[in-house]
Amino acid sequence: QAERERLARELESEKDSFVRLSADFENFRRRSASEIFESTEKASVKITKEFLTVLDSFERAASGVSPETEREEKINNAYQSIN
């Protein structure tokens, strides 16, 4: 009888440990997914800001260009077509 009670307590303890470990893992999984999403968002914002800075520089440069040769005119027209 005593052995049976000891085994029942041990089983309960192991079940409790399993439930806690499962909950910890689920929390870890959710937290990791959230951190990955946040990191991706931050990276996207950073890249977009950097890209806009470069694009603004191109815009300023293009506004001050007055092509003098046929080759410069072609380059300018190519840039204007993608802009």
Side-chain angles (χ1 to χ4, degrees):
Q1 182 70 8
E3 179 69 11
R4 189 179 240 178
E5 289 174 5
R6 185 187 67 75
L7 289 174
R9 283 192 307 272
E10 188 177 328
L11 179 60
E12 269 308 304
S13 176
E14 293 300 323
K15 283 182 181 178
D16 185 53
S17 293
F18 175 76
V19 169
R20 288 174 190 236
L21 184 60
S22 294
D24 285 346
F25 181 74
E26 184 62 24
N27 289 337
F28 169 77
R29 190 186 63 76
R30 287 182 189 151
R31 190 172 48 253
S32 295
S34 176
E35 289 172 359
I36 289 169
F37 178 77
E38 288 175 13
S39 295
T40 303
E41 287 292 306
K42 287 178 183 178
S44 295
V45 167
K46 182 179 178 187
I47 290 170
T48 301
K49 285 180 179 179
E50 290 175 3
F51 181 72
L52 288 175
T53 301
V54 171
L55 187 59
D56 286 343
S57 296
F58 272 113
E59 290 294 320
R60 278 182 291 200
S63 68
V65 169
S66 52
E68 297 177 3
T69 66
E70 184 178 335
R71 184 167 189 262
E72 289 174 354
E73 184 67 37
K74 287 180 182 178
I75 293 170
N76 188 45
N77 289 341
Y79 174 75
Q80 294 303 327
S81 70
I82 60 170
N83 188 8

